[in-house]
Amino acid sequence: MDIILLLLGIVLVLAGRQLFWIFIGISGFIASYECSKVLLPPQETMFVILMAVAFGLVGAVLSIFFYHVAVILAGFLAGGYLSVSLIDLFLPSGTMSFGLIFLLGGLLGAILMFWVFDWALMILSSLVGVLLILNPFNLDPILKLVLLVLLVCL
């Protein structure tokens, strides 16, 4: 699964801003994958991947027919994923409620995507893409944060 997430991260970094529907599809895929790991009992990997692909496709189709809803949904999912991933770098798993962190980050991401779409799309797709690239590697949190900033700035 790490290789799939790594490839999705590369796609987001290279084409997330140009192809909005890819950003929405990958955001749906990532949100579904991460939620299934937390909310469902341990499942077979193929089931989790198929479910994530289905949610990603729904997001991509949603972006074609319901543009404004898709913009807000993608911002919510990307903002929630980013906030949980960044908090997880520095705090142990049991320290905070990740649901609340996801909700707050998601609301911020949705508001940013609604108000400043182009800038938010650039920043969110870059950040999520770089996090997906870095996550498979077991790096020190400080090194991961430094690489995140350096790669996003490129």
Side-chain angles (χ1 to χ4, degrees):
M1 189 63 193
D2 286 342
I3 191 73
I4 293 172
L5 296 176
L6 180 76
L7 292 173
L8 290 176
I10 291 170
V11 168
L12 264 184
V13 168
L14 296 178
R17 184 182 182 278
Q18 290 84 9
L19 301 172
F20 174 66
W21 59 273
I22 285 180
F23 173 67
I24 292 180
I26 291 175
S27 295
F29 179 90
I30 299 303
S32 172
Y33 173 72
E34 293 295 329
C35 286
S36 69
K37 289 191 326 187
V38 174
L39 300 175
L40 297 177
Q43 299 288 333
E44 200 174 302
T45 304
M46 191 51 113
F47 173 77
V48 172
I49 291 173
L50 288 174
M51 190 172 80
V53 167
F55 277 95
L57 289 173
V58 166
V61 169
L62 182 69
S63 73
I64 295 168
F65 296 109
F66 302 102
Y67 180 77
H68 294 293
V69 173
V71 166
I72 294 170
L73 182 62
F76 181 81
L77 295 175
Y81 175 74
L82 279 172
S83 61
V84 168
S85 295
L86 292 175
I87 292 292
D88 194 37
L89 279 177
F90 297 103
L91 297 176
S93 295
T95 307
M96 298 193 76
S97 168
F98 285 112
L100 179 61
I101 298 296
F102 186 90
L103 180 65
L104 293 174
L107 288 174
L108 180 62
I111 290 168
L112 286 174
M113 284 291 279
F114 184 73
W115 280 343
V116 285
F117 173 74
D118 287 331
W119 283 97
L121 179 60
M122 264 192 300
I123 293 167
L124 288 175
S125 65
S126 296
L127 284 170
V128 170
V130 170
L131 273 173
L132 290 175
I133 292 169
L134 293 176
N135 277 345
F137 306 103
N138 291 329
L139 302 172
D140 180 64
I142 299 295
L143 177 61
K144 197 176 208 179
L145 187 61
V146 168
L147 287 173
L148 176 74
V149 171
L150 288 175
L151 290 173
V152 167
C153 289
L154 292 176

